[in-house]
Amino acid sequence: MMNVLLVDDEPWVLEGLRTMVNWDKYGFQICGEVENGHAAWSLIEDLQPDLVLTDIHMPSLSGLELIDRSMQELAKPPRFVILSGYDSFEYAKTALEQRVEDYLLKPIDEVEIENVLEQISRKIQEEQAFEDVHQREHALYVNSLFNRLLQGEDCSILKTEVEAILQMKGHENIACLLIETETYKEDIKSQVRSLTCAYRAELFTDAEGRVGVFSAMAEPSQERMEVLGKELYELYSSHTQMTMALGHHPGGAGATKQAYEKALFALKWKRYQRENGIIHYEDLPQNEGMTSVNQKALTILMETILSGEQEKLEGAVHDLLANSDSLMPVSDIDYARVQLLALEMGVRKQLKELDGDVDQFMQDMQNTLGLTTGISSYSAIQEYALRLTQNAMKMLMELRKVKEDSTIFQVVQYVNQEFREKLQLQELAQKFHMNANYLGQAFKQQTGKSFREYLNDKRMEEAKRLLRQSRFNIAEVSLNSGYPNVDYFVSQFKRMTGMAPSAYRKQR
């Protein structure tokens, strides 16, 4: 329903408008009634009505002054219809200059006002429909833009677009608010748009479905995103579990990924602490032993997982979780939790790159070992990490096999279609992003023939078909079956069939 505000200093006029007009028929509902211009201005600011019906002569602030103030100070002023007892050309002229929808004389005619409402209702709905389409297109564009940056695409054009969208002027901090919740996501997005209307902030959805908000953080607006997070938490915490995290990083649009990664790390930290609410990356424990990730050990462990060397897993897991400063398993479990968090993020990334079902994988882990938030000892973290890496290794090997089989199938299909062209195994390996030696082995396993044998057989089958079914001469058959050199074609044909092409044609 669209909201309409009634403004007139005569109570009988307000009562007549309220009772005489079938507002609901035209999609309107009365959101307020006031008898002077100042009170009307307060309600317009608070309620943001779609339509205001106002008298001209009123105490404190006239109808025309109310309209002018709205047009000057509001980003999206309501539509206005003037109700006047004065049939004055000057009043009507001023009203038209201020772009009012209509100028109606009192006493108000029921049919006349309903005709005006019908026209205004249609205009508002058409504009809203257009705005909805524009907003969806803008949201899709912005979401794509941010996710390309988050995936590591380093392009000056993308950064320039982000700077324009967020109205950045230089190397301000860029802030990222991440919101993790299972419900109310669309409602939360709507609330974010409403709460950030006073400054520029843009929504996005990350690869795992979290709602995120990016904003430029120039002084004195450093606290805007924290305020936004607190307001959202107050609105939704009683209805759904919600965890939020804020990260920011200097460097303008080029810092988009870093701000996001800080927010993501803080979000996961909050989750591992079994807490809802909002946390800032800078509020994490800052001593080195609690927040730093042992990147060297993590890299070795991930390489071990990807290589399938199961016998090395336990040692690599221990090296990741052990505190290198004390040369023994750390007594402070928080350090081990950080390493486990980083390991989980690494596993998720690898699964996603191979199109694995990340959510199902993690759900299976939870069903088997329980929630990581319930882990309360170093030995339990070590056991969870070992099982996580074992399951990840198995899953990644299965996904890689499926992907490789699919890729080999694509290679074979490509050869079947393009055998007439000059094909080299090395070039195919580059085209399909594979090692040439491995491709040759996999191709033979898939087809039962080496790449060269398969290609020659395919070309020879086509040559036989052309000799049987076409009127091409031998040179044309040679060219159209993938042999640009006719002498080589004839020699190959004889070698593979035991006869010359001309003799094969005669026996058909």
Side-chain angles (χ1 to χ4, degrees):
M1 296 291 283
M2 295 168 285
N3 287 323
V4 58
L5 174 66
L6 306 181
V7 187
D8 200 295
D9 60 346
E10 297 179 283
W12 65 269
V13 174
L14 294 176
E15 183 179 356
L17 288 170
R18 185 191 328 115
T19 59
M20 176 180 69
V21 179
N22 186 353
W23 299 99
D24 186 66
K25 179 180 177 181
Y26 303 101
F28 289 100
Q29 61 183 6
I30 297 174
C31 65
E33 301 176 23
V34 290
E35 297 182 6
N36 65 76
H38 277 309
W41 173 248
S42 296
L43 283 185
I44 288 173
E45 284 191 302
D46 292 342
L47 303 179
Q48 300 179 16
D50 300 282
L51 174 64
V52 176
L53 273 67
T54 180
D55 192 7
I56 289 183
H57 288 286
M58 295 182 296
S60 72
L61 189 71
S62 75
L64 294 178
E65 290 171 330
L66 176 66
I67 295 169
D68 183 63
R69 186 172 182 180
S70 298
M71 296 298 181
Q72 295 294 328
E73 298 186 25
L74 298 179
K76 188 178 179 181
R79 295 172 183 272
F80 286 91
V81 171
I82 285 181
L83 311 174
S84 177
Y86 298 89
D87 186 7
S88 166
F89 174 76
E90 287 302 319
Y91 282 145
K93 181 174 178 291
T94 302
L96 291 174
E97 289 172 349
Q98 292 182 326
R99 294 173 296 171
V100 301
E101 297 298 319
D102 217 320
Y103 187 100
L104 303 180
L105 293 175
K106 299 177 183 177
I108 305 301
D109 180 78
E110 181 180 349
V111 174
E112 184 180 20
I113 194 170
E114 291 195 351
N115 285 338
V116 170
L117 292 177
E118 184 177 11
Q119 294 173 15
I120 294 174
S121 175
R122 184 169 60 251
K123 283 183 182 180
I124 292 176
Q125 291 180 48
E126 288 173 354
E127 287 185 5
Q128 186 59 54
F130 177 81
E131 178 64 25
D132 289 345
V133 171
H134 174 73
Q135 191 175 84
R136 284 195 297 271
E137 291 176 346
H138 176 77
L140 288 171
Y141 171 72
V142 169
N143 197 65
S144 172
L145 190 67
F146 283 130
N147 275 282
R148 286 169 67 186
L149 287 173
L150 298 183
Q151 290 164 12
E153 190 170 338
D154 188 13
C155 173
S156 59
I157 296 176
L158 290 182
K159 294 174 184 177
T160 300
E161 287 293 306
V162 168
E163 288 173 355
I165 287 171
L166 296 179
Q167 297 180 351
M168 304 180 80
K169 297 177 181 179
H171 285 69
E172 305 101 315
N173 285 353
I174 188 165
C176 177
L177 177 69
L178 274 183
I179 305 162
E180 191 168 76
T181 181
E182 295 300 320
T183 55
Y184 297 101
K185 289 185 179 180
E186 291 306 315
D187 193 42
I188 288 170
K189 290 179 183 179
S190 178
Q191 283 291 344
V192 169
R193 293 188 190 100
S194 174
L195 294 171
T196 59
C197 61
Y199 60 95
R200 199 60 185 262
E202 290 290 346
L203 281 157
F204 71 99
T205 303
D206 74 1
E208 295 186 26
R210 303 180 190 89
V211 176
V213 187
F214 277 117
S215 177
M217 298 284 284
E219 296 290 352
S221 59
Q222 290 281 350
E223 298 180 358
R224 284 176 176 171
M225 296 288 267
E226 286 191 49
V227 171
L228 171 63
K230 290 174 182 177
E231 289 178 333
L232 290 172
Y233 190 72
E234 289 175 2
L235 285 169
Y236 293 98
S237 60
S238 61
H239 307 297
T240 183
Q241 285 193 331
M242 175 182 283
T243 306
M244 290 179 287
L246 180 65
H248 70 266
H249 199 83
T256 301
K257 186 177 180 182
Q258 292 94 323
Y260 167 79
E261 288 177 342
K262 284 183 175 180
L264 180 59
F265 192 92
L267 186 73
K268 287 181 173 291
W269 174 269
K270 190 80 168 173
R271 190 179 71 188
Y272 278 121
Q273 298 303 308
R274 291 174 280 181
E275 295 177 358
N276 291 329
I278 183 170
I279 186 171
H280 196 295
Y281 177 83
E282 293 183 350
D283 294 333
L284 293 176
Q286 291 302 305
N287 58 299
E288 190 70 18
M290 291 179 68
T291 61
S292 63
V293 174
N294 189 338
Q295 290 293 346
K296 181 179 178 181
L298 178 62
T299 299
I300 293 173
L301 178 53
M302 292 306 303
E303 289 174 351
T304 302
I305 294 171
L306 294 172
S307 67
E309 299 174 284
Q310 189 163 357
E311 69 280 2
K312 295 183 179 180
L313 275 183
E314 187 169 355
V317 167
H318 176 270
D319 290 344
L320 175 66
L321 298 182
N323 188 338
S324 58
D325 292 334
S326 63
L327 302 179
M328 61 184 294
V330 70
S331 59
D332 191 343
I333 195 173
D334 286 336
Y335 176 86
R337 285 189 184 279
V338 170
Q339 311 313 308
L340 181 59
L341 168 59
L343 173 60
E344 180 188 310
M345 291 172 69
V347 167
R348 284 174 175 268
K349 179 181 178 182
Q350 291 298 328
L351 289 171
K352 182 171 176 54
E353 286 182 358
L354 290 174
D355 300 321
D357 190 336
V358 178
D359 291 337
Q360 186 60 55
F361 176 83
M362 297 309 300
Q363 185 63 53
D364 291 343
M365 285 292 300
Q366 292 176 10
N367 292 341
T368 304
L369 298 175
L371 295 171
T372 54
T373 53
I375 299 176
S376 57
S377 68
Y378 174 84
S379 60
I381 287 182
Q382 188 172 39
E383 173 63 19
Y384 186 95
L386 184 59
R387 293 289 294 274
L388 172 65
T389 54
Q390 290 171 340
N391 291 354
M393 179 183 288
K394 180 180 178 182
M395 177 65 74
L396 288 168
M397 290 177 68
E398 292 173 355
L399 289 171
R400 190 183 296 115
K401 182 69 168 61
V402 170
K403 195 172 186 69
E404 288 174 353
D405 287 347
S406 174
T407 302
I408 297 302
F409 176 77
Q410 292 175 37
V411 172
V412 174
Q413 292 294 100
Y414 184 83
V415 172
N416 289 342
Q417 294 173 5
E418 304 296 333
F419 65 88
R420 298 174 185 84
E421 305 299 323
K422 183 180 179 180
L423 297 180
Q424 299 290 335
L425 185 63
Q426 187 70 39
E427 293 175 357
L428 282 177
Q430 292 177 357
K431 180 178 178 64
F432 288 92
H433 309 291
M434 298 183 71
N435 177 276
N437 291 331
Y438 178 78
L439 175 58
Q441 296 170 9
F443 193 97
K444 186 170 185 177
Q445 186 176 7
Q446 178 83 4
T447 64
K449 301 176 183 179
S450 70
F451 170 73
R452 183 53 55 187
E453 289 172 337
Y454 186 90
L455 182 60
N456 281 333
D457 286 349
K458 194 70 182 174
R459 288 171 172 172
M460 205 53 62
E461 288 174 10
E462 178 66 3
K464 291 176 181 179
R465 187 187 70 81
L466 293 174
L467 288 168
R468 291 193 307 268
Q469 300 177 9
S470 76
R471 296 183 179 182
F472 287 165
N473 61 38
I474 300 303
E476 290 172 329
V477 170
S478 174
L479 183 63
N480 284 280
S481 56
Y483 295 99
N485 187 308
V486 66
D487 292 334
Y488 179 75
F489 164 65
V490 171
S491 67
Q492 286 293 99
F493 196 92
K494 286 181 178 180
R495 183 182 67 81
M496 297 181 71
T497 66
M499 65 180 71
S502 57
Y504 182 88
R505 170 170 274 173
K506 288 178 181 177
Q507 72 170 13
R508 61 179 178 171

